């Protein structure tokens, strides 16, 4: 930083500020949730790679979602777990900013992947005869790569805008990780530009995609009701309802966190909301897809019993 700007060497993550016994309990609980997150998404990713029947656009995007969920949780949770059982809860400023950047990147990617998955289901159900042409592997790859690149660039914009600010304390972040709104509170300069860009990004990356998802699934619902086959209607509704569960959990908590008036959400409530979309949602995604998706459950059985001796 130049001029009279101050560079913070390290900051303290205050975390949940609970009793030692409570924090030990939270450490065990969140460790279990984190293990389930890695195991569940790892299993989803593994069976998609191993079962050729799942080499379709829908599961191609689902594999990206599993990678994002594991990365998302791994960016935030390990430091939170270490702080729960440690008296020294500091983090160097550069790793803190890197954590913010990665957190934003993975959050943006998840939003875009969920939109692409809803479009995939829309084409599959509403235009089944043209599905293989519209959702070709070239189109799928382009959509996935574009989502990653755009998310990276948007997170980079937020990070650059943070680094232009002078930081002069307090050197404490009242959160369990370097969440962007909490980091901005460390700045001793006007953060209006940052707040405006965050709000604009939320409109573009949350509200816009959510509207597209709702439009897609409204048309899907109409198409499902026209399906004559009871089995076909059941299969289509089961797949789409699982997608809607994921969409509702992620977009709902993120919109409340970043677009609702902050005065209505005390800091502890913001921490709980952050936990929801950084730990609970990545853990629930594989459960929702595996328990409500017959193809995933069938693929898991085939993989588990493939090498079973006669």
């Amino acid at each position: 930083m130049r001029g009279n700007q101050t560079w913070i060497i390290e900051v303290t993550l205050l975390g949940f500020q609970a009793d030692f016994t409570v924090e030990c309990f939270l450490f065990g609980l969140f460790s279990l949730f984190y293990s389930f997150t890695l195991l569940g998404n790892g299993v989803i990713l593994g069976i998609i790679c191993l079962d050729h029947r799942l080499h379709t656009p829908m599961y191609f995007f689902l594999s990206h979602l599993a990678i994002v969920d594991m990365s998302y949780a791994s960016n935030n949770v390990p430091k939170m777990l270490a702080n729960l059982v440690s008296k020294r809860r500091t983090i160097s400023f550069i790793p803190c900013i890197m954590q913010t950047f990665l957190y934003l990147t993975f959050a943006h990617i998840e939003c875009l992947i969920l939109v692409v998955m809803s479009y995939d289901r829309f084409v599959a159900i509403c235009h089944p005869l043209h599905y293989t042409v519209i959702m070709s592997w070239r189109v799928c790859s382009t959509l996935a790569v574009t989502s990653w690149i755009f998310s990276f660039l948007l997170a980079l914009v937020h990070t650059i805008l943070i680094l232009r600010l002078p930081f002069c304390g307090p050197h404490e972040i009242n959160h369990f990780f370097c969440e962007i709104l909490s980091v901005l509170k460390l700045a001793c300069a006007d953060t209006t530009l940052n707040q405006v860009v965050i709000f604009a990004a939320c409109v573009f990356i949350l509200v816009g995609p959510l509207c597209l998802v709702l439009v897609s699934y409204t048309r899907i619902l109409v198409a499902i009701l026209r399906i004559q086959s009871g089995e076909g209607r059941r299969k289509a509704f089961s797949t789409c309802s699982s997608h809607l569960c994921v969409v509702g959990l992620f977009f709902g908590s993120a919109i409340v966190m970043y677009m609702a008036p902050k005065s209505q959400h005390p800091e502890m409530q913001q921490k709980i909301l952050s936990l929801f979309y950084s730990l609970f949602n990545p853990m629930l995604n594989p459960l929702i897809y595996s328990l409500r998706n017959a193809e995933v459950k069938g693929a898991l059985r085939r993989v588990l019993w493939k090498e079973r001796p006669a």
Side-chain angles (χ1 to χ4, degrees):
M1 306 291 285
R2 295 177 297 177
N4 61 353
Q5 293 179 326
T6 304
W7 187 266
I8 296 178
I9 302 301
E10 62 180 19
V11 295
T12 300
L13 296 172
L14 298 180
F16 296 98
Q17 298 175 282
D19 294 336
F20 179 74
T21 304
V22 174
E23 292 195 335
C24 287
F25 170 76
L26 292 177
F27 173 82
L29 182 64
F30 293 157
S31 295
L32 190 63
F33 287 169
Y34 181 53
S35 299
F36 284 153
T37 298
L38 297 182
L39 178 62
N41 285 287
V43 168
I44 291 286
L45 186 61
I47 61 176
I48 290 174
C49 293
L50 293 174
D51 195 314
H52 66 90
R53 301 183 193 183
L54 299 184
H55 292 176
T56 62
M58 171 181 162
Y59 294 104
F60 171 73
F61 294 123
L62 182 56
S63 66
H64 281 265
L65 186 63
I67 292 172
V68 170
D69 282 338
M70 288 189 290
S71 303
Y72 200 15
S74 297
N75 181 55
N76 302 337
V77 177
K79 182 61 178 176
M80 177 188 70
L81 295 176
N83 287 344
L84 284 172
V85 293
S86 173
K87 293 182 179 180
R88 180 176 173 80
R89 302 181 176 187
T90 58
I91 180 173
S92 298
F93 189 67
I94 294 301
C96 180
I97 294 299
M98 182 58 68
Q99 188 182 54
T100 302
F101 168 74
L102 292 175
Y103 146 76
L104 291 171
T105 300
F106 296 134
H108 295 154
I109 294 171
E110 181 143 359
C111 290
L112 297 178
I113 291 296
L114 290 174
V115 173
V116 173
M117 290 177 70
S118 70
Y119 176 69
D120 171 73
R121 290 300 85 202
F122 164 73
V123 175
I125 294 174
C126 299
H127 304 283
L129 298 180
H130 302 94
Y131 179 72
T132 55
V133 176
I134 297 175
M135 299 302 295
S136 64
W137 283 113
R138 182 177 180 179
V139 171
C140 292
S141 300
T142 301
L143 288 173
V145 171
T146 302
S147 297
W148 282 87
I149 293 176
F150 178 80
S151 301
F152 175 86
L153 294 177
L154 185 55
L156 187 61
V157 169
H158 287 298
T159 305
I160 292 173
L161 289 177
I162 291 175
L163 292 176
R164 58 177 273 278
L165 296 170
F167 293 92
C168 51
H171 297 180
E172 293 180 342
I173 295 178
N174 192 8
H175 217 294
F176 58 85
F177 75 104
C178 294
E179 191 268 336
I180 185 170
L181 297 180
S182 299
V183 172
L184 288 177
K185 292 179 181 179
L186 301 179
C188 51
D190 185 19
T191 60
T192 301
L193 177 59
N194 299 76
Q195 300 287 350
V196 170
V197 172
I198 290 172
F199 186 83
C202 286
V203 172
F204 187 77
I205 208 75
L206 287 176
V207 179
L210 180 59
C211 291
L212 292 175
V213 169
L214 293 177
V215 169
S216 295
Y217 281 108
T218 299
R219 298 190 63 178
I220 287 172
L221 180 61
V222 173
I224 289 176
L225 295 176
R226 294 176 180 171
I227 296 177
Q228 300 297 324
S229 167
E231 176 64 21
R233 189 185 298 114
R234 185 201 61 78
K235 182 178 179 181
F237 185 79
S238 176
T239 301
C240 293
S241 61
S242 65
H243 290 189
L244 279 175
C245 287
V246 173
V247 167
L249 290 171
F250 183 82
F251 281 93
S253 57
I255 287 175
V256 170
M257 178 70 182
Y258 289 101
M259 302 198 71
K262 296 300 176 289
S263 59
Q264 297 181 8
H265 304 292
E267 289 176 331
M268 181 53 70
Q269 187 174 345
Q270 292 183 29
K271 294 176 189 178
I272 294 173
L273 285 171
S274 297
L275 263 180
F276 201 88
Y277 61 76
S278 63
L279 179 59
F280 298 154
N281 202 53
M283 180 187 68
L284 292 174
N285 282 355
L287 293 177
I288 291 172
Y289 281 110
S290 61
L291 293 178
R292 297 188 60 86
N293 193 308
E295 288 181 330
V296 172
K297 289 187 287 187
L300 181 58
R301 284 193 295 266
R302 287 192 295 271
V303 170
L304 290 177
W305 297 102
K306 186 175 184 180
E307 302 299 330
R308 184 183 180 185

